[in-house]
Amino acid sequence: MSEQPPVGGAVALNSLLGALPLDEEVRWILGRPCFAVSRMAWRLKELGLYDPARKAEDEQACALHWMLTMYGKHGAAWREEADKILFAPQPNAG
C-alpha cells in the first residue's frame, strides 16, 4: 500500500516545521507559559499587530506566534529586533 501525501494544512505545517529547528530558542519560545506572555500580547494589541481575545490561551497563542515569526525572520538576533518593536514609543506619545 502506498503512503498518502499530507493534505491541506499538513503540507504547510511540514514545510514550516522543516524550516524551524527545535533548537534552544524555539524550545524557550514554546515553553513560555500564558502568565509570562500576557503583557507582551497586550503590547502587541496596542501596536495593532494582534487582537487577542481576553483569554489566556489566545494571548499566549498571539505572543508565541509573534516570537516564532521574529525568530524565523531574524534568527539569533530575534530578541533584539523584538525589543525594538515592543519598546518603541507610541507615535502619539509626545
PDB file of all heavy atoms in Angstrom, residues 6-29:
ATOM      1  N   PRO A   6       0.508  14.264   2.605  1.00  0.00           N
ATOM      2  CA  PRO A   6      -0.259  15.088   3.532  1.00  0.00           C
ATOM      3  C   PRO A   6      -1.239  15.972   2.768  1.00  0.00           C
ATOM      4  O   PRO A   6      -0.973  16.358   1.636  1.00  0.00           O
ATOM      5  CB  PRO A   6       0.798  15.941   4.230  1.00  0.00           C
ATOM      6  CG  PRO A   6       2.114  15.365   3.865  1.00  0.00           C
ATOM      7  CD  PRO A   6       1.917  14.521   2.649  1.00  0.00           C
ATOM      8  N   VAL A   7      -2.360  16.259   3.383  1.00  0.00           N
ATOM      9  CA  VAL A   7      -3.378  17.084   2.726  1.00  0.00           C
ATOM     10  C   VAL A   7      -3.536  18.417   3.446  1.00  0.00           C
ATOM     11  O   VAL A   7      -3.232  18.541   4.620  1.00  0.00           O
ATOM     12  CB  VAL A   7      -4.750  16.366   2.692  1.00  0.00           C
ATOM     13  CG1 VAL A   7      -4.678  15.136   1.831  1.00  0.00           C
ATOM     14  CG2 VAL A   7      -5.222  16.013   4.086  1.00  0.00           C
ATOM     15  N   GLY A   8      -4.030  19.389   2.711  1.00  0.00           N
ATOM     16  CA  GLY A   8      -4.378  20.690   3.273  1.00  0.00           C
ATOM     17  C   GLY A   8      -3.257  21.343   4.042  1.00  0.00           C
ATOM     18  O   GLY A   8      -2.147  21.479   3.563  1.00  0.00           O
ATOM     19  N   GLY A   9      -3.567  21.740   5.281  1.00  0.00           N
ATOM     20  CA  GLY A   9      -2.623  22.450   6.124  1.00  0.00           C
ATOM     21  C   GLY A   9      -1.420  21.623   6.529  1.00  0.00           C
ATOM     22  O   GLY A   9      -0.408  22.156   6.951  1.00  0.00           O
ATOM     23  N   ALA A  10      -1.533  20.297   6.409  1.00  0.00           N
ATOM     24  CA  ALA A  10      -0.407  19.443   6.797  1.00  0.00           C
ATOM     25  C   ALA A  10       0.813  19.717   5.927  1.00  0.00           C
ATOM     26  O   ALA A  10       1.944  19.661   6.409  1.00  0.00           O
ATOM     27  CB  ALA A  10      -0.806  17.973   6.719  1.00  0.00           C
ATOM     28  N   VAL A  11       0.607  20.040   4.665  1.00  0.00           N
ATOM     29  CA  VAL A  11       1.730  20.353   3.774  1.00  0.00           C
ATOM     30  C   VAL A  11       2.436  21.611   4.264  1.00  0.00           C
ATOM     31  O   VAL A  11       3.659  21.644   4.389  1.00  0.00           O
ATOM     32  CB  VAL A  11       1.252  20.525   2.316  1.00  0.00           C
ATOM     33  CG1 VAL A  11       2.385  21.000   1.436  1.00  0.00           C
ATOM     34  CG2 VAL A  11       0.678  19.221   1.798  1.00  0.00           C
ATOM     35  N   ALA A  12       1.664  22.646   4.563  1.00  0.00           N
ATOM     36  CA  ALA A  12       2.246  23.896   5.051  1.00  0.00           C
ATOM     37  C   ALA A  12       2.933  23.665   6.392  1.00  0.00           C
ATOM     38  O   ALA A  12       4.016  24.185   6.635  1.00  0.00           O
ATOM     39  CB  ALA A  12       1.168  24.959   5.183  1.00  0.00           C
ATOM     40  N   LEU A  13       2.329  22.876   7.268  1.00  0.00           N
ATOM     41  CA  LEU A  13       2.919  22.603   8.574  1.00  0.00           C
ATOM     42  C   LEU A  13       4.231  21.861   8.424  1.00  0.00           C
ATOM     43  O   LEU A  13       5.223  22.192   9.077  1.00  0.00           O
ATOM     44  CB  LEU A  13       1.949  21.801   9.443  1.00  0.00           C
ATOM     45  CG  LEU A  13       2.423  21.480  10.854  1.00  0.00           C
ATOM     46  CD1 LEU A  13       2.711  22.761  11.623  1.00  0.00           C
ATOM     47  CD2 LEU A  13       1.398  20.641  11.580  1.00  0.00           C
ATOM     48  N   ASN A  14       4.271  20.882   7.533  1.00  0.00           N
ATOM     49  CA  ASN A  14       5.515  20.154   7.302  1.00  0.00           C
ATOM     50  C   ASN A  14       6.593  21.088   6.777  1.00  0.00           C
ATOM     51  O   ASN A  14       7.752  20.983   7.166  1.00  0.00           O
ATOM     52  CB  ASN A  14       5.295  19.002   6.320  1.00  0.00           C
ATOM     53  CG  ASN A  14       4.545  17.859   6.952  1.00  0.00           C
ATOM     54  OD1 ASN A  14       4.496  17.734   8.166  1.00  0.00           O
ATOM     55  ND2 ASN A  14       3.946  17.030   6.125  1.00  0.00           N
ATOM     56  N   SER A  15       6.246  22.013   5.912  1.00  0.00           N
ATOM     57  CA  SER A  15       7.211  22.973   5.393  1.00  0.00           C
ATOM     58  C   SER A  15       7.722  23.873   6.506  1.00  0.00           C
ATOM     59  O   SER A  15       8.916  24.130   6.608  1.00  0.00           O
ATOM     60  CB  SER A  15       6.587  23.837   4.305  1.00  0.00           C
ATOM     61  OG  SER A  15       6.222  23.037   3.211  1.00  0.00           O
ATOM     62  N   LEU A  16       6.828  24.353   7.343  1.00  0.00           N
ATOM     63  CA  LEU A  16       7.209  25.227   8.445  1.00  0.00           C
ATOM     64  C   LEU A  16       8.096  24.484   9.434  1.00  0.00           C
ATOM     65  O   LEU A  16       9.141  24.979   9.841  1.00  0.00           O
ATOM     66  CB  LEU A  16       5.974  25.764   9.167  1.00  0.00           C
ATOM     67  CG  LEU A  16       6.244  26.571  10.438  1.00  0.00           C
ATOM     68  CD1 LEU A  16       7.009  27.840  10.097  1.00  0.00           C
ATOM     69  CD2 LEU A  16       4.961  26.893  11.141  1.00  0.00           C
ATOM     70  N   LEU A  17       7.701  23.296   9.827  1.00  0.00           N
ATOM     71  CA  LEU A  17       8.479  22.546  10.803  1.00  0.00           C
ATOM     72  C   LEU A  17       9.853  22.192  10.261  1.00  0.00           C
ATOM     73  O   LEU A  17      10.825  22.174  11.007  1.00  0.00           O
ATOM     74  CB  LEU A  17       7.730  21.287  11.232  1.00  0.00           C
ATOM     75  CG  LEU A  17       6.462  21.534  12.044  1.00  0.00           C
ATOM     76  CD1 LEU A  17       5.751  20.221  12.330  1.00  0.00           C
ATOM     77  CD2 LEU A  17       6.760  22.269  13.327  1.00  0.00           C
ATOM     78  N   GLY A  18       9.930  21.942   8.979  1.00  0.00           N
ATOM     79  CA  GLY A  18      11.222  21.653   8.380  1.00  0.00           C
ATOM     80  C   GLY A  18      12.128  22.872   8.365  1.00  0.00           C
ATOM     81  O   GLY A  18      13.342  22.760   8.431  1.00  0.00           O
ATOM     82  N   ALA A  19      11.543  24.056   8.301  1.00  0.00           N
ATOM     83  CA  ALA A  19      12.324  25.291   8.246  1.00  0.00           C
ATOM     84  C   ALA A  19      12.669  25.808   9.633  1.00  0.00           C
ATOM     85  O   ALA A  19      13.524  26.666   9.772  1.00  0.00           O
ATOM     86  CB  ALA A  19      11.533  26.361   7.493  1.00  0.00           C
ATOM     87  N   LEU A  20      12.016  25.310  10.656  1.00  0.00           N
ATOM     88  CA  LEU A  20      12.213  25.811  12.012  1.00  0.00           C
ATOM     89  C   LEU A  20      12.755  24.692  12.893  1.00  0.00           C
ATOM     90  O   LEU A  20      12.032  23.770  13.250  1.00  0.00           O
ATOM     91  CB  LEU A  20      10.875  26.313  12.560  1.00  0.00           C
ATOM     92  CG  LEU A  20      10.893  27.154  13.805  1.00  0.00           C
ATOM     93  CD1 LEU A  20      11.679  28.449  13.578  1.00  0.00           C
ATOM     94  CD2 LEU A  20       9.482  27.496  14.208  1.00  0.00           C
ATOM     95  N   PRO A  21      14.043  24.756  13.248  1.00  0.00           N
ATOM     96  CA  PRO A  21      14.622  23.687  14.054  1.00  0.00           C
ATOM     97  C   PRO A  21      14.091  23.749  15.486  1.00  0.00           C
ATOM     98  O   PRO A  21      13.744  24.821  15.986  1.00  0.00           O
ATOM     99  CB  PRO A  21      16.113  24.000  14.024  1.00  0.00           C
ATOM    100  CG  PRO A  21      16.174  25.481  13.872  1.00  0.00           C
ATOM    101  CD  PRO A  21      14.999  25.834  12.997  1.00  0.00           C
ATOM    102  N   LEU A  22      14.029  22.611  16.126  1.00  0.00           N
ATOM    103  CA  LEU A  22      13.634  22.587  17.532  1.00  0.00           C
ATOM    104  C   LEU A  22      14.893  22.790  18.371  1.00  0.00           C
ATOM    105  O   LEU A  22      15.385  21.898  19.051  1.00  0.00           O
ATOM    106  CB  LEU A  22      12.927  21.270  17.885  1.00  0.00           C
ATOM    107  CG  LEU A  22      12.324  21.192  19.282  1.00  0.00           C
ATOM    108  CD1 LEU A  22      11.334  22.325  19.509  1.00  0.00           C
ATOM    109  CD2 LEU A  22      11.661  19.849  19.499  1.00  0.00           C
ATOM    110  N   ASP A  23      15.438  24.004  18.277  1.00  0.00           N
ATOM    111  CA  ASP A  23      16.666  24.335  18.989  1.00  0.00           C
ATOM    112  C   ASP A  23      16.333  24.994  20.331  1.00  0.00           C
ATOM    113  O   ASP A  23      15.174  25.083  20.732  1.00  0.00           O
ATOM    114  CB  ASP A  23      17.571  25.210  18.126  1.00  0.00           C
ATOM    115  CG  ASP A  23      16.930  26.540  17.743  1.00  0.00           C
ATOM    116  OD1 ASP A  23      15.890  26.921  18.325  1.00  0.00           O
ATOM    117  OD2 ASP A  23      17.472  27.212  16.852  1.00  0.00           O
ATOM    118  N   GLU A  24      17.354  25.481  21.007  1.00  0.00           N
ATOM    119  CA  GLU A  24      17.173  26.071  22.327  1.00  0.00           C
ATOM    120  C   GLU A  24      16.235  27.275  22.303  1.00  0.00           C
ATOM    121  O   GLU A  24      15.402  27.444  23.192  1.00  0.00           O
ATOM    122  CB  GLU A  24      18.535  26.487  22.874  1.00  0.00           C
ATOM    123  CG  GLU A  24      18.492  26.958  24.311  1.00  0.00           C
ATOM    124  CD  GLU A  24      19.878  27.259  24.860  1.00  0.00           C
ATOM    125  OE1 GLU A  24      20.843  26.587  24.457  1.00  0.00           O
ATOM    126  OE2 GLU A  24      19.966  28.179  25.689  1.00  0.00           O
ATOM    127  N   GLU A  25      16.319  28.120  21.277  1.00  0.00           N
ATOM    128  CA  GLU A  25      15.456  29.300  21.184  1.00  0.00           C
ATOM    129  C   GLU A  25      13.995  28.909  20.974  1.00  0.00           C
ATOM    130  O   GLU A  25      13.101  29.464  21.618  1.00  0.00           O
ATOM    131  CB  GLU A  25      15.922  30.229  20.063  1.00  0.00           C
ATOM    132  CG  GLU A  25      17.202  30.951  20.367  1.00  0.00           C
ATOM    133  CD  GLU A  25      17.095  31.908  21.551  1.00  0.00           C
ATOM    134  OE1 GLU A  25      16.140  32.705  21.605  1.00  0.00           O
ATOM    135  OE2 GLU A  25      17.983  31.853  22.414  1.00  0.00           O
ATOM    136  N   VAL A  26      13.751  27.977  20.071  1.00  0.00           N
ATOM    137  CA  VAL A  26      12.371  27.547  19.813  1.00  0.00           C
ATOM    138  C   VAL A  26      11.795  26.881  21.059  1.00  0.00           C
ATOM    139  O   VAL A  26      10.639  27.107  21.421  1.00  0.00           O
ATOM    140  CB  VAL A  26      12.299  26.622  18.583  1.00  0.00           C
ATOM    141  CG1 VAL A  26      10.909  26.024  18.423  1.00  0.00           C
ATOM    142  CG2 VAL A  26      12.682  27.400  17.326  1.00  0.00           C
ATOM    143  N   ARG A  27      12.586  26.074  21.721  1.00  0.00           N
ATOM    144  CA  ARG A  27      12.121  25.452  22.971  1.00  0.00           C
ATOM    145  C   ARG A  27      11.782  26.525  24.008  1.00  0.00           C
ATOM    146  O   ARG A  27      10.793  26.418  24.723  1.00  0.00           O
ATOM    147  CB  ARG A  27      13.170  24.502  23.523  1.00  0.00           C
ATOM    148  CG  ARG A  27      13.300  23.231  22.732  1.00  0.00           C
ATOM    149  CD  ARG A  27      14.419  22.352  23.295  1.00  0.00           C
ATOM    150  NE  ARG A  27      14.701  21.236  22.440  1.00  0.00           N
ATOM    151  CZ  ARG A  27      14.079  20.063  22.506  1.00  0.00           C
ATOM    152  NH1 ARG A  27      13.145  19.863  23.399  1.00  0.00           N
ATOM    153  NH2 ARG A  27      14.400  19.093  21.674  1.00  0.00           N
ATOM    154  N   TRP A  28      12.615  27.571  24.093  1.00  0.00           N
ATOM    155  CA  TRP A  28      12.340  28.653  25.040  1.00  0.00           C
ATOM    156  C   TRP A  28      11.027  29.346  24.695  1.00  0.00           C
ATOM    157  O   TRP A  28      10.202  29.591  25.571  1.00  0.00           O
ATOM    158  CB  TRP A  28      13.497  29.662  25.037  1.00  0.00           C
ATOM    159  CG  TRP A  28      13.332  30.726  26.076  1.00  0.00           C
ATOM    160  CD1 TRP A  28      13.742  30.688  27.375  1.00  0.00           C
ATOM    161  CD2 TRP A  28      12.684  31.996  25.898  1.00  0.00           C
ATOM    162  NE1 TRP A  28      13.394  31.849  28.013  1.00  0.00           N
ATOM    163  CE2 TRP A  28      12.741  32.680  27.130  1.00  0.00           C
ATOM    164  CE3 TRP A  28      12.070  32.614  24.819  1.00  0.00           C
ATOM    165  CZ2 TRP A  28      12.207  33.947  27.319  1.00  0.00           C
ATOM    166  CZ3 TRP A  28      11.530  33.885  24.999  1.00  0.00           C
ATOM    167  CH2 TRP A  28      11.599  34.527  26.239  1.00  0.00           C
ATOM    168  N   ILE A  29      10.852  29.657  23.420  1.00  0.00           N
ATOM    169  CA  ILE A  29       9.621  30.329  22.981  1.00  0.00           C
ATOM    170  C   ILE A  29       8.402  29.464  23.281  1.00  0.00           C
ATOM    171  O   ILE A  29       7.436  29.921  23.902  1.00  0.00           O
ATOM    172  CB  ILE A  29       9.688  30.671  21.473  1.00  0.00           C
ATOM    173  CG1 ILE A  29      10.740  31.747  21.216  1.00  0.00           C
ATOM    174  CG2 ILE A  29       8.317  31.127  20.965  1.00  0.00           C
ATOM    175  CD1 ILE A  29      11.086  31.939  19.738  1.00  0.00           C
TER     176      ILE A  29
END
